[in-house]
Amino acid sequence: MNRTLVIVKPDGVERSLVGEIISRFEKKGLKIVAGRFETIPKELAEKHYFEHAGKSFYDELVTFITRSPAFVCVLEGPEDTWKVVRTMMGPTNPIDAQPGTIRGDLGLEIGENLVHGSDSNESAAREIEVFFPGI
Ligand code: DAT
Ligand code: MG
């Protein structure tokens, strides 16, 4: 089996869309194998988003992801689960996201795009270790 990290970001929790978003993945056939509801500590946010350090939107991104509780979970499927999740999420900017995708149906702004999904099997392994070490 193959796993990826998904985060329903603070905007998704604030808008009471955790069930809506996670149920799409469950209906698709993916299984939740770990999950935690938490205000992400700054230190974990910085580890998670290390690749964006130094970019113009980095400070805003860390402030956003740590501002209120998020639902962080690990989803499991047969293969390339990260890709299944990202296809269902839609592209980073909700303006570009097709109807039928999470960002396309529910989002409007790049800075409040509801959901995180790892972008490769390597990122998935790294990000799962950041949030659920040793799992
Ligand atoms: P994704 O979340 O689709 O993997 P990413 O890894 O490139 O996108 O960026 C991480 C998050 O940072 C993204 O979900 C929203 C924010 N972000 C990315 N590019 C941005 C930009 N140009 N302006 C503002 N926020 C941005
Ligand atoms: Mg990314």
Side-chain angles (χ1 to χ4, degrees), residues 9 49 51-52 55-57 60-61 86 89-93 103 110-113 115-117 119:
K9 296 180 181 182
Y49 278 133
E51 65 180 326
H52 298 302
K55 294 186 185 168
S56 58
F57 57 86
E60 200 182 344
L61 176 60
R86 290 202 52 112
M89 283 164 48
T92 306
N93 192 339
R103 288 164 168 170
I110 194 167
E112 307 248 337
N113 62 9
V115 62
H116 169 84
D119 65 6

